[in-house]
Structure formats: structure tokens, C-alpha cells
Amino acid sequence: MAIDIDKFVHDQLSLWPAVAAKYRALKSTSTRTMPFGGILVTLQSNPGRVPIFDHGCPLCEENYMEHQHTLPFEGRKGRKYNILVNRAPIFPNHLVITRDVHTPQTIWHRFPDMLDLAADLEGYVVFYNSPNSGTTVPQHAHFQACPKGYLPLERTAERLLRTLAAGESPDPSEIEYIDAVRDARLYHYKRFNRGIFMLRASTAKSMAKMFYRLLDCLNLVAEETEPRFNAFTYCSEGEYRAVVALRRESKPRCYFAEGDAHFAISPGAADMAGFVVVPEVKDFPRITPEVLRSIFDDVTLTQAQEEHLLWRLVRTQPRVEVGICRGPVIRFEIISDGTMNWSSKPSPSPPFSPNPPSSSMARKVKNASPAR
Ligand SMILES: [Zn+2]
């Protein structure tokens, strides 16, 4: 069911002058574009971006501001969300989609909700910041959404995924096929930054499977609950499409530097998609491709991390073959390089049996399949 979001935003802003003023100010905000890493990055000077946190969790209903309206959205398994107009906008019609209960930000189990949202919010891209990857409210689960066409990486993804969906081959130096599950494909985008993946799928189920398979190949930072990344999903040409930008750090070194080396840039999903928000007016004219390179290098995967991830995604599990063995106990160990040590205790009574041996062989081969 498509949601009439334009009407919701219009009605909300007509009753909320303070926030309506911020949306009006967006129209006259300074922006400039910069060719960078194979895409055309947008820089936006946005001093109004500093969020207003009055008291408590800003995404809990009891702390909504006086004029805040909500539009209900139902996720899977009874999970309920409220769609809100973002009070610190980067885009026109910038939405926050927040769980109706105070529960930590996580993508486990909730990616299908994100896909359902993308299907319902026609003309929008739904995006997600994992904890430690640009969200200011990691304590309360939420997504965001903006109209299609603003995020440079989304425009690039759409151009490439359209080409692939048409059965044509884009430039292999730009995008490379990595893996597939039923009805879903995973590609590595090789420009802009390291650790960028693009996905397309004909069903939400397959898209979720491919997405979680990618996350499964990532390492967690100690004591964190999910990998660091930003994700974007939308629907186009009857497919679900997504971009995932993997992260190493939450903030770049320049954020903590002093003097001229300081830039108050803390990349969230928009920045990782090439729409760089510059909250400090004095920083805006000082941003050069070199500054951007340093910022993105600090927060994205290292080359070694990317290579290791690609290896994990494409490696094929070695097939293990052993001679026929039997015994009451068969022990084996698979070494990390795929070789296997095994031993069996001699069977106390090994007479010839015309029946097939016990299922120990089958179990061994089964156990040799990749561990998730
Ligand atoms: Zn909350």
C-alpha cells in the first residue's frame, strides 16, 4: 500500500512553523558539487543540522515536540513504527521512521521492515545507520528516508543496477559481480570508497538473505552487536535495490583535530552516499578533494579489510573426501585451510555387514559444509 507522504509532510509543516522554517531555509542553503572518486559529490552547508534534543530520548513518543504528527507503519511480526517529519532536515521531505517503543538500534530481524517501507514509500530511499556509524540516537531503533535523486551514490547504483537488470554488462572496473542467492545478486562497487556493495533482488526474502550473508562475512568490533555500516534501499523496475557502505570508524580524525585541521564532519548515511553535510559555515569553502579523501579513508575499510572481506565472500568451501572408515567414534577436525585430521577408534566387532555403513560418512560431509 503506497503512503501519501507528500500530504503528510504538507499537513505537518503547515502546523509547525519552527520546523517549516528549516525546510524553507533548505531551499536557499549553499551547495556545491565536486567530482570525487568516480561520482559527483554534493556538499551542503547546513548549520541548522544541529539536532534539537530537549530532554530524554528524542524518538520516544512522550518526548515528541508539541506539533509533531505521526503516521503509523506496521513492520513484520507486529513491529510498529511511527513515521515523522525530521526536525533537523538535510533533504526536502526528510523522514524519520521510528519504532513505537524504546529499543536499541539494530538491523537484525529489521531489514525486512526496511524493505517493506521502501516498497510503501514510493519515490523514496530508506536508509539506516548502524550504531557507531553516524546515528545520533543509537538507543532507539529507527530508519530515515528521503526522496530519490538526492544521494549521488543512489543515482550511481540506479544507473548500474538498471544496466545489469537489462542483461547488459557495465564497465568491470566500476562494478563486479560477487555472489548470488535465489533471486538476489550482490555486486562490489569499486569507486568512490572501499567497502561499497550494491544489491538487487526480485523478492524481499532473497534481498534479506543476500544482505545478511554480506553482514555475516564482516567482523564485529568487540562488544558491538552488529557490523558498522550504512545501508540504503529502494524499489525500482519491480526490484528491491540496495547499497551498503561498510565502515571502520564513526568519526574521522579531523573531527577531533584543532585549528585549521579541524572539520566538524561526522559522516552518517547521507555523507557515505556522497551527500556531505557541513554543519560549520566556516568549513564549507575549505573542503577540497584531499580533505574528503582523508575523511573517507578514516571511516571506511582499509584495503586489507576489503580484500579479506572479498575473499570471504567469494571463497568456495573445499570439498572434503575421505576413505571409508567405520568405528563407534569417529573424530575429525577441519583445519582453517580446509584440510582435515581424522581418527577412529577401532570398532569392537567389525564383521562384514551387507547393510550400508552407519551415517557417519554422510555426517562428516555434512559437517564439512561452511559454518556460518
Ligand atoms: Zn526512545
Side-chain angles (χ1 to χ4, degrees), residues 159-175:
R159 171 176 59 81
L160 293 168
L161 296 176
R162 261 176 194 266
T163 306
L164 287 158
E168 294 161 23
S169 304
D171 181 350
S173 71
E174 191 173 13
I175 191 167

Side-chain angles (χ1 to χ4, degrees), residues 57-61 63 101-103 137 139-140:
C57 170
L59 298 183
C60 274
E61 268 183 71
N63 298 325
V101 289
H102 186 80
T103 182
V137 196
Q139 69 274 26
H140 193 128

